[in-house]
Amino acid sequence: AQELITIQEDFEQNKFEWDESFSDNGTAVIMNNMLMLENKSETTPMCSMCNLPIISDEDFKASITLSKPKINDKDFIGIVLNYEDELNYWVFLVREKTAYIGTLS
């Protein structure tokens, strides 16, 4: 297991260099010390990426504080790990009463 270290992103300095983007599908922007994702598409998820200082092959714990929307039984929210390209990554997705972990390759 990795050494127990707590890493917290307050988005004030964007220390992990989260991607910000603006498109017809939505926006990913840092405002008011928050990463705000707005999704306007029913089929394309909105996301932001960064490089966290973790080794994903070892045990780690991640937590997220959501202001909205609330987790429901229709929409997934998740974390992508070991991203190489659009067809090669691990994904951990959750929604109400459901969790999914898997790889795309």
Side-chain angles (χ1 to χ4, degrees):
Q2 297 177 68
E3 180 181 335
L4 182 59
I5 298 171
T6 300
I7 301 168
Q8 183 172 345
E9 173 68 271
D10 60 14
F11 297 105
E12 187 173 335
Q13 298 175 347
N14 193 13
K15 61 186 165 190
F16 299 121
E17 299 179 358
W18 292 84
D19 292 334
E20 294 183 273
S21 62
F22 305 88
S23 73
D24 292 340
N25 291 331
T27 59
V29 64
I30 295 173
M31 276 174 47
N32 302 323
N33 295 341
M34 291 184 286
L35 173 64
M36 298 173 59
L37 299 174
E38 178 186 20
N39 192 348
K40 297 177 184 175
S41 171
E42 291 288 326
T43 58
T44 304
M46 198 63 213
C47 65
S48 176
M49 290 191 234
C50 73
N51 289 309
L52 295 175
I54 62 170
I55 301 168
S56 59
D57 291 338
E58 299 180 14
D59 291 345
F60 68 93
K61 178 181 176 180
S63 64
I64 300 168
T65 302
L66 296 172
S67 61
K68 55 177 171 170
K70 303 287 185 210
I71 296 214
N72 60 47
D73 62 358
K74 178 184 171 206
D75 303 309
F76 281 102
I77 186 167
I79 299 172
V80 172
L81 305 164
N82 291 342
Y83 183 85
E84 292 178 33
D85 58 42
E86 290 182 9
L87 299 175
N88 296 290
Y89 57 88
W90 299 358
V91 64
F92 176 69
L93 300 171
V94 294
R95 68 181 175 194
E96 189 174 314
K97 300 180 183 178
T98 305
Y100 170 80
I101 189 165
T103 60
L104 289 180
S105 57

